[in-house]
């Protein structure tokens, strides 16, 4: 042997060699001989122990975990500042969103007070601001208009037989309030039941593209519904499929009767609110609290209404007088329940999805967790109990939640203990200012429309999702577009149903048409990538690594086998098929492989499904 050959042989012998041996188990042996299941049964005494009762109480009432140890000196001031900032935004939004819900403005104030108080005791998020929200208010308004249309309340004057019928606004509003309250009661019951049944996981089926497409469509509906207030024209309110198109057509057909002072007032409010929001965003680190543009618009428009008499002289529409005092609790009109079941499910799901998505966003940012089931229970109790005090359904608001977080509303006790901002006390003060001090607001409807439109700017920015999704995932782009188009054309309730159905079909499509590839090793790394897609990926000689990105079941088993044959089996005359659980088998032909599958498992689909349960990748090694 030459010296070089001898050195090479010694080097090869010095390399460590590994020989791995392990026994082969089948499922019958594992279940009967190797493993024994634990006895997890509990007695009645164990299930009713004091520790379990305490844990259940702390879960159901999160306030009990943080209130006893709340550090007043450290956190009270920041909570008050955040509460003041959020409260002054929530007050005018409550007035404005009541218009969307087709109820008098004072009910927006009620809905901004009672649910916030209840969420303090039952909620788990530290940053979201619950209360009125444009999308939910619009969905409620569509139901209220459908169940109590204007045509039901035209009456003839008692002293004139030839006089045309007039609209009984008071009776119409009273009926719509009943519809909104009953709908809220049913929404609360549904959310509470889903929370108790641990159905918080349903939020995962409302994918982000679906929610963003749906909320963008809702923003379109809201803006279209507010055009008549911005232009000062009078049209009826539409609901159901094509309502947005009918509303826009009605406004355009009355464009000649536009009230110029109303348009000027609305545009001034929009420009002012947009400028204030831009200043708050640019100088949020320097401003102790954001500039309360909405409350300034409400106060100034009220003063202008009194000072210039625009309502009497120039026919500028106002929302009317806001009654003083709080209403006593009353039982909803339960006879309306049967006709509202479908709508209540839609409102309940949308409200929860908006709340939990925003709560998880803040929780991830600030390093704590929220309980989806408890959030369902909290929202359910907020809606159910508050409905007895004449409120309409609520969820969290993105704009107010951002204000609450940016102004220091993130104070909490250590160990992920929730602290709800003391905006409650501020809201109580603002409510007393409006309700107990006998103030009469004659706010311009165009000012409230401006508040609504400016607060929806963030939703319209979601149109930027389209080019981003086009580059990343065509299927998710299709979900976004279907949710948007269906919700705009069919209405928010039917649009949501179509969007969820399409999302489910897309899941079936993805599993039915899985992506399969032959993987190759990237030199110098531990990565294995598609050899057809990447130049650096190279196969090992005599080895095929087949990859599929979906579980194998009866829907896609034939396609799975076809892809397997095309990419792997046709490349070899004899194969070794192995997984992490089965006996190593030498298979000399494709027919033998299928015959083996049918002999052991009954059919080839069951065989590949059995393989996939244990190992997501199947390696086929040629000899």
């Amino acid at each position: 042997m030459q010296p070089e050959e001898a050195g090479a042989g010694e080097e090869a012998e010095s390399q460590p060699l590994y020989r791995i041996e392990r026994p082969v188990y089948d499922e019958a042996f594992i279940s009967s001989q190797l493993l024994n299941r634990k006895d997890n049964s509990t007695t009645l005494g164990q299930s009713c122990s004091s520790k379990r009762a305490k844990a259940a109480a702390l879960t159901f009432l999160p306030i009990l975990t943080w209130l006893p140890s709340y550090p007043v000196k450290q956190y009270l001031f920041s909570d008050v500042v955040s509460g003041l900032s959020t409260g002054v935004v929530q007050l005018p939004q409550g007035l404005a969103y009541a218009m969307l819900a087709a109820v008098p403005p004072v009910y927006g104030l009620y809905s901004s007070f009672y649910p916030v108080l209840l969420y303090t005791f039952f909620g788990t998020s530290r940053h979201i601001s619950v209360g009125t929200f444009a999308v939910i208010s619009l969905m409620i308004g569509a139901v209220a208009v459908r169940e109590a249309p204007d045509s039901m309340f035209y009456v003839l004057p008692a002293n004139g037989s030839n006089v045309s019928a007039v609209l009984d606004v008071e009776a119409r509003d009273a009926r719509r309030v009943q519809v909104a309250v009953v709908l809220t009661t049913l929404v609360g019951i549904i959310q509470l039941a889903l929370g108790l049944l641990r159905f918080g996981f349903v939020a995962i089926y409302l994918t982000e593209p679906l929610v963003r497409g749906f909320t963008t469509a809702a923003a379109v509906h809201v803006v279209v519904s507010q055009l008549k207030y911005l232009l000062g024209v009078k049209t009826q309110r539409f609901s159901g499929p094509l309502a947005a198109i009918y509303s826009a057509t009605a406004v355009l057909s009355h464009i000649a009767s536009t009230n110029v002072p109303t348009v000027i007032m609305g545009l001034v409010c929009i420009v002012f609110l947009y400028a204030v929001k831009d200043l708050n965003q640019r100088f949020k680190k320097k401003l102790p609290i954001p500039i309360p543009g909405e409350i300034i618009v409400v106060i100034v428009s009220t003063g202008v209404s009194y000072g210039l008499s625009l309502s009497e002289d120039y026919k500028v529409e106002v929302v009317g007088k806001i009654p003083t005092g709080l209403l006593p609790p009353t039982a909803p009109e339960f006879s309306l329940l049967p006709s509202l079941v479908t709508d209540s499910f839609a409102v309940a799901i949308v409200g929860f999805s908006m709340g939990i998505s925003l709560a998880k966003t803040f929780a991830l940012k600030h390093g704590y967790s929220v309980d989806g089931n408890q959030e369902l229970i909290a929202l359910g109790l907020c809606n159910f109990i508050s409905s007895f005090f004449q409120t309409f359904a609520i969820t969290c608001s993105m704009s107010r939640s951002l204000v609450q977080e940016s102004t220091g509303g993130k104070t909490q006790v250590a160990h992920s203990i929730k602290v709800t901002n003391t905006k409650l006390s501020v809201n109580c003060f603002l409510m007393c200012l409006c309700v107990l001090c006998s103030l009469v607001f004659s706010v311009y409807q165009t000012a409230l429309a401006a508040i609504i439109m400016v607060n929806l700017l963030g939703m319209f920015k979601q149109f930027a999702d389209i080019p981003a999704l086009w580059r990343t995932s065509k299927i998710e782009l299709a979900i976004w577009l279907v949710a948007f188009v269906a919700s705009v054309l069919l209405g928010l309730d039917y649009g949501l149903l179509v969007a969820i159905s399409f999302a489910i079909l897309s899941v079936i499509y993805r599993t039915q048409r899985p992506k399969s590839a032959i993987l190759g090793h990237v030199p110098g790394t531990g990565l294995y990538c598609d050899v057809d897609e990447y130049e650096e990926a190279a196969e090992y000689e005599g080895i095929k690594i087949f990859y599929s990105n979906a579980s194998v079941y009866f829907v896609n088993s034939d396609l799975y086998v076809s892809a397997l044959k095309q990419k792997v089996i046709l490349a070899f005359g004899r194969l070794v098929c192995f997984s992490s659980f089965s006996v190593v088998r030498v298979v000399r032909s494709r027919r033998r492989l299928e015959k083996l599958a049918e002999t052991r498992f009954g059919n080839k689909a069951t065989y590949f499904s059995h393989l996939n349960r244990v190992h997501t990748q199947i390696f086929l090694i040629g000899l």
Side-chain angles (χ1 to χ4, degrees):
M1 182 182 292
Q2 298 297 326
E4 293 182 0
E5 295 178 358
E10 292 176 359
E11 183 179 354
E13 292 178 358
S14 65
Q15 294 293 327
L17 299 176
Y18 296 95
R19 180 179 179 180
I20 300 176
E21 295 183 357
R22 66 174 186 176
V24 178
Y25 302 108
D26 58 21
E27 293 185 355
F29 177 80
I30 292 175
S31 60
S32 62
Q33 303 293 331
L34 191 61
L35 297 175
N36 295 314
R37 293 187 178 276
K38 290 182 178 181
D39 184 10
N40 294 323
S41 60
T42 57
T43 63
L44 181 62
Q46 291 174 332
S47 61
C48 297
S49 63
S50 59
K51 290 184 178 180
R52 287 179 175 269
K54 181 179 179 181
L58 293 178
T59 302
F60 186 70
L61 282 171
I63 191 174
L64 298 178
T65 62
W66 61 264
L67 185 61
S69 55
Y70 178 70
V72 177
K73 293 183 179 180
Q74 291 89 338
Y75 302 127
L76 182 61
F77 177 75
S78 59
D79 277 347
V80 170
V81 172
S82 177
L84 176 64
S85 305
T86 311
V88 296
V89 174
Q90 185 152 318
L91 174 64
Q93 285 188 0
L95 293 170
Y97 293 156
M99 294 171 57
L100 295 178
V103 296
V106 69
Y107 294 93
L109 298 181
Y110 300 153
S111 301
S112 300
F113 173 66
Y114 293 108
V116 179
L117 180 63
L118 290 168
Y119 188 83
T120 306
F121 295 91
F122 301 104
T124 61
S125 176
R126 307 172 193 171
H127 295 91
I128 65 172
S129 173
V130 299
T132 56
F133 185 55
V135 175
I136 298 297
S137 299
L138 185 66
M139 296 178 72
I140 295 170
V143 178
V145 172
R146 185 194 69 204
E147 297 296 322
D150 290 345
S151 58
M152 291 177 56
F153 301 96
Y154 279 102
V155 295
L156 292 173
N159 57 352
S161 58
N162 295 326
V163 180
S164 59
V166 296
L167 178 63
D168 189 347
V169 176
E170 186 175 347
R172 181 202 63 184
D173 290 346
R175 185 63 173 178
R176 289 180 177 178
V177 168
Q178 287 182 341
V179 173
V181 169
V182 174
L183 179 65
T184 302
T185 304
L186 196 51
V187 167
I189 293 173
I190 292 171
Q191 290 176 333
L192 183 59
L194 292 177
L196 293 175
L197 294 174
R198 319 304 291 175
F199 267 73
F201 68 89
V202 297
I204 64 176
Y205 293 99
L206 298 171
T207 64
E208 184 177 2
L210 187 152
V211 173
R212 292 174 71 86
F214 175 80
T215 53
T216 306
V220 173
H221 278 280
V222 172
V223 169
V224 170
S225 69
Q226 297 305 298
L227 285 177
K228 63 179 182 179
Y229 299 114
L230 186 66
L231 299 177
V233 299
K234 293 183 178 181
T235 63
Q236 70 175 102
R237 183 164 179 165
F238 298 90
S239 62
L242 302 180
I245 296 178
Y246 292 148
S247 297
T249 304
V251 172
L252 292 177
S253 64
H254 291 78
I255 195 72
S257 60
T258 298
N259 188 298
V260 177
T262 298
V263 174
I264 295 175
M265 177 68 70
L267 293 177
V268 169
C269 291
I270 289 176
V271 172
F272 174 78
L273 289 170
Y274 182 82
V276 168
K277 285 188 175 295
D278 185 62
L279 289 175
N280 287 335
Q281 182 64 27
R282 290 189 179 186
F283 302 102
K284 60 181 180 180
K285 295 183 178 180
K286 298 181 180 180
L287 294 172
I289 61 173
I291 302 172
E294 288 90 349
I295 197 70
I296 293 175
V297 166
V298 170
I299 293 174
V300 171
S301 62
T302 303
V304 172
S305 176
Y306 278 114
L308 300 181
S309 300
L310 295 181
S311 177
E312 293 81 6
D313 298 340
Y314 298 96
K315 306 300 180 183
V316 179
E317 293 290 333
V318 296
V319 299
K321 296 181 179 180
I322 297 178
T324 60
L326 296 173
L327 297 177
T330 57
E333 189 68 33
F334 289 107
S335 61
L336 297 171
L337 283 179
S339 60
L340 303 178
V341 173
T342 303
D343 304 288
S344 61
F345 270 100
V347 174
I349 292 173
V350 173
F352 170 66
S353 65
M354 296 298 299
I356 194 63
S357 60
L358 200 57
K360 286 184 175 181
T361 300
F362 285 122
L364 182 63
K365 180 179 179 180
H366 295 276
Y368 64 94
S369 60
V370 292
D371 186 350
N373 295 311
Q374 183 59 30
E375 285 298 300
L376 263 175
I377 293 174
L379 288 176
L381 289 172
C382 288
N383 284 317
F384 178 72
I385 298 176
S386 299
S387 67
F388 290 86
F389 295 90
Q390 307 294 292
T391 67
F392 55 86
I394 55 89
T395 185
C396 75
S397 167
M398 183 181 296
S399 60
R400 293 196 307 270
S401 298
L402 291 174
V403 170
Q404 179 171 315
E405 184 221 13
S406 63
T407 54
K410 49 190 174 182
T411 56
Q412 62 275 343
V413 184
H415 310 296
S416 300
I417 296 177
K418 178 187 180 296
V419 174
T420 302
N421 291 329
T422 52
K423 68 173 182 292
L424 300 177
S425 60
V426 177
N427 285 341
C428 288
F429 168 76
L430 291 174
M431 288 290 295
C432 291
L433 184 66
C434 296
V435 179
L436 301 180
C437 296
S438 299
L439 291 180
V440 180
F441 277 163
S442 293
V443 186
Y444 292 121
Q445 289 182 347
T446 186
L448 296 183
I451 293 174
I452 294 172
M453 290 182 175
V454 174
N455 278 292
L456 292 175
L457 291 177
M459 290 187 181
F460 284 109
K461 293 179 181 178
Q462 293 176 156
F463 279 112
D465 295 346
I466 295 178
L469 291 175
W470 174 262
R471 293 189 297 268
T472 58
S473 175
K474 304 297 191 298
I475 294 179
E476 291 189 354
L477 173 62
I479 293 174
W480 196 102
L481 292 175
V482 168
F484 174 78
V485 175
S487 299
V488 168
L489 297 180
L490 303 180
L492 298 181
D493 44 2
Y494 293 112
L496 179 64
L497 180 61
V498 170
I500 293 176
S501 301
F502 183 80
I504 295 174
L505 291 176
S506 72
V507 173
I508 298 175
Y509 173 79
R510 294 188 202 197
T511 59
Q512 191 175 4
R513 308 286 297 183
K515 179 183 179 182
S516 58
I518 297 298
L519 302 184
H521 179 246
V522 179
T525 70
L527 301 177
Y528 290 83
C529 300
D530 188 353
V531 296
D532 295 331
E533 188 174 355
Y534 300 99
E535 296 180 355
E536 293 79 6
E539 298 182 66
Y540 290 113
E541 184 178 355
I543 296 177
K544 290 285 183 179
I545 305 176
F546 177 78
Y547 168 76
S548 178
N549 68 345
S551 300
V552 182
Y553 64 112
F554 70 95
V555 172
N556 61 8
S557 59
D558 289 337
L559 295 173
Y560 187 94
V561 173
S562 298
L564 187 63
K565 288 179 179 181
Q566 180 183 1
K567 292 182 178 293
V568 177
I569 297 179
L570 295 178
F572 294 103
R574 50 183 181 162
L575 305 167
V576 174
C577 178
F578 71 93
S579 71
S580 58
F581 72 92
S582 62
V583 180
V584 174
R585 298 283 182 147
V586 178
V587 185
R588 300 190 180 279
S589 67
R590 302 189 305 274
R591 186 173 302 173
R592 175 60 181 159
L593 177 63
E594 295 179 0
K595 185 176 180 181
L596 173 65
E598 293 177 358
T599 302
R600 184 172 179 185
F601 293 96
N603 58 69
K604 57 187 178 183
T606 305
Y607 172 64
F608 284 112
S609 178
H610 195 51
L611 280 177
N612 191 71
R613 286 208 307 268
V614 180
H615 207 283
T616 57
Q617 295 183 359
I618 296 178
F619 297 84
L620 297 175
I621 301 182
L623 298 178

